[in-house]
Amino acid sequence: MEFVSPEGLRLDGRRPKELRKLRIKLGSLDGTDGSAFVQLGNTKVLAAVFGPRGAPTGARSSAISCVIAVSAISVQGDRRSKERLGRQATEFSRALTNAMEQLVPADILKNACIDVHVQVLQADGGLFAACANAALLALANAGVPLRDICAACHTGLLESTALVDLSAQESMQQAPQAAILYECRTQSIAIMQTDNKMSTTALEELLELATEGCIALVTAMRQALISSTVQQLSTSAPHASAAQRRD
Amino acid sequence: MLHKKAFIKKTRKGKIQQIVREHYLRDDIYSGTPWDPECDAGAAKLSKDAKHYLVADTNVVLSQMDFLEHAAVEDVIIMSVVLDEVRHRNQSVYQRLRSLCASPTRRFYVFANEHHRDTYIKQEPGESVNDRNDRAIRVATKWYMSRLEPASQADQVPEIILLTNDAENRSRAQSEGLTAISIQAYAKSRTECPELMDLVAAGNLEDEAETAASRAKHAKRARIYEDHRGMADITAGLKAGKYHQGTLRVSRYNPFEGWVGSESVGEDILISGRVAMNRAIEGDAVAIELLPEAEWRAASATLPKAGADGAPAEDAEGAEDMQEDGGHIMEVVPMDISEQPPELTAASKRPTGKVVGIIRRNWRTRGYCGSLQPQQRASARGSTASVLFCPVERRFPMIRLQTRQAEALADKRIVVVIDSWEADSHYPAGHYVRTLGTIGDRDTETEVLLIEHDINTSPFTPAVHACVPQLPWSVTPADLDDPNRQDLRHLPICSVDPPGCKDIDDALHVVELPNGNLELGVHIADVTHFLKPATAIDDEAASRATTTYLVQRRIDMLPKPLTEDICSLRADVERLAFSVVWEMTQSADVVSVRFTKSVIKSRAALTYAEAQSRIDDERLHDEISNSLRTMNRVARILRKRRADAGALSLASPEVKFEIDTETHDPLDVGIYQIREANQMVEEMMLLANVTVAEHTLRAFPACALLRRHPVPAPRQFDPLLRAAAAAGFSLDCSTSKMLAESLDKAVRADDAYFNKLVRIMATRCMTQAVYFGSGECDPPEYHHYGLAAPLYTHFTSPIRRYADVVVHRVLAASLGLAPLPETARDRDGVRSLTDNLNTRHHNAQMAGRASVELHTLIFFKDRVVVADARITKVRSNGLIIFVPKYGIEGPVYFTPKDAAASAKGGARAAIPKQPVSAAAAGSAPPESEYILDEEKQTVTSPDGKVCYTIFDKAAVRIAVEETHGQRRHLVLTLVDRNELPESEQMG
């Protein structure tokens, strides 16, 4: 298999350092405190945030929880591939919950709890990145402050070429792969998740590329947040002025 | 960094599920022509001055690679849709096309039309994939035309020509305003380069006019072969057990007799005759059907001779075909250890089958070397003539080809590729690729044998040379300061090698320790210090895998500065080494062992003869001589120990040429002399290899590179046992130890050479030793049969073997000096590595033997020699004779009739003073003139006067005969032993 042609194109026509097409839609779910739809290539996920709200009575180990669920329609194929995806989702849920406990300031979570639900609608590689980004955007949409602006990105080293944002076809290979959740301001990695054997030099190369990818994603995500906020303000502005007039 | 285009989803139907993949279209793909104003000047690979740019379609690429590879074909645009199709249909053509596109000297440009916004097209409903791809090529061609903009009025932009042999595609292209022509038409238009026409592959891709004519001709011609069954039919047949599949192995002696090893039948199936073979050739994966048991045959028990399988004449035009079988006469062949000759009694019938279909062709893309059959009528100069090509390797059939240069090629060795084999043609059709040189010329013939054995002789690329340190090179202080590198310069190290050896990869030392024990060291050139993984030089070395030694030439695995200087452990210079150092008692029991990278300074580079005389000369008491003697003492103990464990001492008929330094012609030839010094060095190397094998396996149980020698299957010994029984001694092949012991007992008082002859024949029963990864098989299978060692590897020759390089890296990794190499980490990596090592190793050996054979021919060119010989096989119409002194084995025919018949094609031999058996009176077939007794391994003349038995002494006259088939042959003739000079007698 030739994952990067000598002309420098990947199987789907991207160059090694190109992300897939990213689509973000914020606040599309009613009845939630915040929501985000993220489409990364053919991977589609929907995240919803409930909270912060008063903590229920009874002890809870974690004030914030993040649950990723894989929908039945997310992937075609046999039972085994769905089960595998399910196991991955459980793993990602744990990691994201962990990361968010660190990212959401402690005072917000005092006597309060936040539930983040991510639903995978369609899976085509880069699941961790899509879920993490959707969860982060939903939190922002819900108005929950975060310690840093973050993004997640998936990379892999195929045939000694570092590729960003692997498609399902690419991530099926037994090749070094790394996904990170990156905090852009402090320039630190919140979560790193790796697959398959790799040398330290390979890991360094992947991390460098993943960081670059995260920065690009953050730019796009920030843009989406700003434009959604602007839109919200412009649609709510007439009401505000009307209210003023009434006064 | 984000560069996104609107994208279209491409759907591909899998087995059941639908796979959806993204397909991005871009606007940053350039056309690669300097005429395109938008194209980046650096990316413009095509020439500005070209008259035309060529666009090749998939079928042209698949069938006409030789044409495209010709230097006169330039400025070619390859569409990515073509690349994709080629990759799916033929991986080796794909590799060739890729290297063509990557070559900086050729102007081949790949245009990713599938990802360009303006050239991507969707499959229309009702349109087949092929039609869609053809249309994509046309759309891209059209786009190219729109890109070429003349900068000024005077400029003439290149014309874009679509090369396609599909008439429908051509007419569609023309209606769309494109220029489309067939490859034949294009080659014809290039009148300045007539050889292009020869390179155009034959087959069913001819011009329409010619096709019509040939179709008419074909209709007239009778079908010779059955049609091959379709793949679906074959699969169904295999499942039902009606057909069997396997790889065809053609007999070396007879091109129309072969064997298919089939698991479903359990034994080899005989395929006998041209029709049963049904156009399959050596190495093809075939589907066969067993014939009814009544039609089962035995393998031929006679030596093949001219006209043995008569091809029916095709028609008047095919008259020259008649002589082709005359070419397939057995000639003197060198010893072949791996060969299993079809030794069968006339009575024993074997399962016989016929080929019904071909699962996978194994036609060589690198081509077949050979020469043209001389033509009976001269063709007009420059006109296209149909000629037969006769490959040097007689396992392959003749090939018919069209050429305009028949006359010029008459005395040349050429390379030809097979294109197709139609059912109505006796021979496959092929086309000319290139000329190697004049027949019989030593360099040409050497080139032939290198190509035949697939040995890469191309010079190292600049990228490889860039990895080599500058000369003069010396050990740097940094190397000395390296804490992992021990300074062993004070040790009395010396090397012992054959005379003239420049790539010295091993050196030895032994010193007495204060506690009375011995310190023995084997120092191996530290090649991996210079050969870092994942560099150009490492990739090249890995693909070459071994240095090939020919009689007069060496084809290196590593560039010369490394091979002969920087790595070579020469005398009196400091060199880097990887050392194995043992502490052992005086009785050679190992106390401890350590491995270390080191710096050494060899005191002397000795030849075997020098080392031997130092050992033998008791007056010498210098450091080196003393340590050589100690080493020899240790080696004797070790050898004894190994022999007790059951190691075999086998023999090979190795010969040594003395080569004239000026003319490079062989001056003399003789048996390679083995001294005790050789065995001493060998013993030390064995010890080092075994020690390293044990250590690396302990460190990496799953990925150590080892070498094993499988226990031969009992039936492999059958020919030897039969011969032994006839000769009146017994061999026990149950274990290597029993075999070694019974071989020791096989002696004849009147023939000192007898024992060696038996050993040579025993060697031929063995399987080949192979490299493998320790994860590949179970520990009991690691065993090395010949050495009687449970573990073995190759560590001691990293300059000339890549396996040793890998073992060095694994050993370094086990010592924590370097990470484990990437390829050694997983099983698949190790498997592909060892597969290549084994093939290359085998090829290099075969090439070496072929080179010996060639030099033997050159040596005997102007000589006629009478030499001592032994009978190694008896057949009803002749004998196979082995000449120990020259390592030659070949046939001698009994009847002048056979001999005369065979002389037509090549070898001739006759036994003088034999009554020409008119006694047979024509009633009995010629084969029954002599009576073959398989049981006793004798053949007796009809009158009972002469009787030949296997292992008998004989004498032969050796001469070279040149035949019209343009092959030179050694001809062996039996002579009376009285004619044998005293000096020539063996033993």
Side-chain angles (χ1 to χ4, degrees), chain A residues 207-221:
Chain A
L207 290 185
E208 196 177 317
L209 182 64
T211 312
E212 239 179 284
C214 286
I215 292 167
L217 281 165
V218 153
T219 319
M221 282 158 66

PDB file of all heavy atoms in Angstrom, chain A residues 207-221:
ATOM      1  N   LEU A 207       4.483  14.032  17.783  1.00  0.00           N
ATOM      2  CA  LEU A 207       4.008  15.046  18.723  1.00  0.00           C
ATOM      3  C   LEU A 207       4.152  16.443  18.134  1.00  0.00           C
ATOM      4  O   LEU A 207       3.274  17.295  18.296  1.00  0.00           O
ATOM      5  CB  LEU A 207       4.772  14.947  20.045  1.00  0.00           C
ATOM      6  CG  LEU A 207       4.445  13.708  20.884  1.00  0.00           C
ATOM      7  CD1 LEU A 207       5.167  13.761  22.221  1.00  0.00           C
ATOM      8  CD2 LEU A 207       2.947  13.584  21.101  1.00  0.00           C
ATOM      9  N   GLU A 208       5.233  16.650  17.441  1.00  0.00           N
ATOM     10  CA  GLU A 208       5.453  17.953  16.826  1.00  0.00           C
ATOM     11  C   GLU A 208       4.349  18.263  15.820  1.00  0.00           C
ATOM     12  O   GLU A 208       3.771  19.354  15.810  1.00  0.00           O
ATOM     13  CB  GLU A 208       6.811  17.936  16.126  1.00  0.00           C
ATOM     14  CG  GLU A 208       7.330  19.312  15.781  1.00  0.00           C
ATOM     15  CD  GLU A 208       8.720  19.210  15.160  1.00  0.00           C
ATOM     16  OE1 GLU A 208       9.549  18.426  15.677  1.00  0.00           O
ATOM     17  OE2 GLU A 208       8.944  19.906  14.163  1.00  0.00           O
ATOM     18  N   LEU A 209       4.043  17.239  14.998  1.00  0.00           N
ATOM     19  CA  LEU A 209       3.014  17.434  13.984  1.00  0.00           C
ATOM     20  C   LEU A 209       1.645  17.605  14.636  1.00  0.00           C
ATOM     21  O   LEU A 209       0.840  18.453  14.229  1.00  0.00           O
ATOM     22  CB  LEU A 209       3.011  16.228  13.031  1.00  0.00           C
ATOM     23  CG  LEU A 209       2.020  16.307  11.893  1.00  0.00           C
ATOM     24  CD1 LEU A 209       2.358  17.456  10.962  1.00  0.00           C
ATOM     25  CD2 LEU A 209       1.990  15.000  11.112  1.00  0.00           C
ATOM     26  N   ALA A 210       1.387  16.812  15.677  1.00  0.00           N
ATOM     27  CA  ALA A 210       0.093  16.872  16.348  1.00  0.00           C
ATOM     28  C   ALA A 210      -0.101  18.258  16.965  1.00  0.00           C
ATOM     29  O   ALA A 210      -1.203  18.833  16.911  1.00  0.00           O
ATOM     30  CB  ALA A 210       0.005  15.794  17.411  1.00  0.00           C
ATOM     31  N   THR A 211       0.963  18.806  17.531  1.00  0.00           N
ATOM     32  CA  THR A 211       0.888  20.144  18.119  1.00  0.00           C
ATOM     33  C   THR A 211       0.507  21.162  17.043  1.00  0.00           C
ATOM     34  O   THR A 211      -0.390  21.991  17.238  1.00  0.00           O
ATOM     35  CB  THR A 211       2.260  20.519  18.717  1.00  0.00           C
ATOM     36  OG1 THR A 211       2.703  19.430  19.492  1.00  0.00           O
ATOM     37  CG2 THR A 211       2.159  21.754  19.549  1.00  0.00           C
ATOM     38  N   GLU A 212       1.172  21.048  15.906  1.00  0.00           N
ATOM     39  CA  GLU A 212       0.865  21.940  14.790  1.00  0.00           C
ATOM     40  C   GLU A 212      -0.604  21.819  14.405  1.00  0.00           C
ATOM     41  O   GLU A 212      -1.283  22.816  14.167  1.00  0.00           O
ATOM     42  CB  GLU A 212       1.724  21.508  13.589  1.00  0.00           C
ATOM     43  CG  GLU A 212       2.647  22.569  13.054  1.00  0.00           C
ATOM     44  CD  GLU A 212       3.455  22.009  11.896  1.00  0.00           C
ATOM     45  OE1 GLU A 212       4.412  21.233  12.155  1.00  0.00           O
ATOM     46  OE2 GLU A 212       3.099  22.321  10.752  1.00  0.00           O
ATOM     47  N   GLY A 213      -1.067  20.562  14.341  1.00  0.00           N
ATOM     48  CA  GLY A 213      -2.457  20.301  13.982  1.00  0.00           C
ATOM     49  C   GLY A 213      -3.408  20.904  14.994  1.00  0.00           C
ATOM     50  O   GLY A 213      -4.421  21.500  14.634  1.00  0.00           O
ATOM     51  N   CYS A 214      -3.070  20.775  16.283  1.00  0.00           N
ATOM     52  CA  CYS A 214      -3.924  21.313  17.339  1.00  0.00           C
ATOM     53  C   CYS A 214      -4.035  22.821  17.219  1.00  0.00           C
ATOM     54  O   CYS A 214      -5.121  23.398  17.386  1.00  0.00           O
ATOM     55  CB  CYS A 214      -3.368  20.953  18.715  1.00  0.00           C
ATOM     56  SG  CYS A 214      -3.623  19.230  19.113  1.00  0.00           S
ATOM     57  N   ILE A 215      -2.907  23.466  16.911  1.00  0.00           N
ATOM     58  CA  ILE A 215      -2.922  24.933  16.803  1.00  0.00           C
ATOM     59  C   ILE A 215      -3.839  25.353  15.656  1.00  0.00           C
ATOM     60  O   ILE A 215      -4.642  26.279  15.791  1.00  0.00           O
ATOM     61  CB  ILE A 215      -1.482  25.466  16.632  1.00  0.00           C
ATOM     62  CG1 ILE A 215      -0.712  25.228  17.936  1.00  0.00           C
ATOM     63  CG2 ILE A 215      -1.485  26.950  16.272  1.00  0.00           C
ATOM     64  CD1 ILE A 215       0.774  25.409  17.835  1.00  0.00           C
ATOM     65  N   ALA A 216      -3.744  24.614  14.534  1.00  0.00           N
ATOM     66  CA  ALA A 216      -4.611  24.934  13.395  1.00  0.00           C
ATOM     67  C   ALA A 216      -6.069  24.716  13.760  1.00  0.00           C
ATOM     68  O   ALA A 216      -6.943  25.523  13.420  1.00  0.00           O
ATOM     69  CB  ALA A 216      -4.225  24.061  12.209  1.00  0.00           C
ATOM     70  N   LEU A 217      -6.354  23.626  14.490  1.00  0.00           N
ATOM     71  CA  LEU A 217      -7.725  23.332  14.869  1.00  0.00           C
ATOM     72  C   LEU A 217      -8.264  24.387  15.834  1.00  0.00           C
ATOM     73  O   LEU A 217      -9.410  24.821  15.731  1.00  0.00           O
ATOM     74  CB  LEU A 217      -7.802  21.947  15.519  1.00  0.00           C
ATOM     75  CG  LEU A 217      -7.790  20.773  14.533  1.00  0.00           C
ATOM     76  CD1 LEU A 217      -7.498  19.475  15.246  1.00  0.00           C
ATOM     77  CD2 LEU A 217      -9.132  20.685  13.817  1.00  0.00           C
ATOM     78  N   VAL A 218      -7.408  24.787  16.775  1.00  0.00           N
ATOM     79  CA  VAL A 218      -7.830  25.791  17.755  1.00  0.00           C
ATOM     80  C   VAL A 218      -8.242  27.078  17.044  1.00  0.00           C
ATOM     81  O   VAL A 218      -9.254  27.692  17.373  1.00  0.00           O
ATOM     82  CB  VAL A 218      -6.699  26.044  18.772  1.00  0.00           C
ATOM     83  CG1 VAL A 218      -6.789  27.452  19.342  1.00  0.00           C
ATOM     84  CG2 VAL A 218      -6.772  25.026  19.877  1.00  0.00           C
ATOM     85  N   THR A 219      -7.462  27.450  16.038  1.00  0.00           N
ATOM     86  CA  THR A 219      -7.783  28.660  15.282  1.00  0.00           C
ATOM     87  C   THR A 219      -9.182  28.545  14.683  1.00  0.00           C
ATOM     88  O   THR A 219      -9.993  29.467  14.791  1.00  0.00           O
ATOM     89  CB  THR A 219      -6.753  28.852  14.152  1.00  0.00           C
ATOM     90  OG1 THR A 219      -5.469  28.527  14.661  1.00  0.00           O
ATOM     91  CG2 THR A 219      -6.768  30.253  13.630  1.00  0.00           C
ATOM     92  N   ALA A 220      -9.456  27.382  14.074  1.00  0.00           N
ATOM     93  CA  ALA A 220     -10.761  27.196  13.445  1.00  0.00           C
ATOM     94  C   ALA A 220     -11.865  27.146  14.494  1.00  0.00           C
ATOM     95  O   ALA A 220     -12.957  27.696  14.308  1.00  0.00           O
ATOM     96  CB  ALA A 220     -10.744  25.914  12.614  1.00  0.00           C
ATOM     97  N   MET A 221     -11.567  26.487  15.621  1.00  0.00           N
ATOM     98  CA  MET A 221     -12.584  26.360  16.666  1.00  0.00           C
ATOM     99  C   MET A 221     -12.898  27.718  17.297  1.00  0.00           C
ATOM    100  O   MET A 221     -14.050  28.053  17.555  1.00  0.00           O
ATOM    101  CB  MET A 221     -12.101  25.364  17.732  1.00  0.00           C
ATOM    102  CG  MET A 221     -12.253  23.922  17.299  1.00  0.00           C
ATOM    103  SD  MET A 221     -11.174  22.774  18.177  1.00  0.00           S
ATOM    104  CE  MET A 221     -11.813  22.865  19.824  1.00  0.00           C
TER     105      MET A 221
END
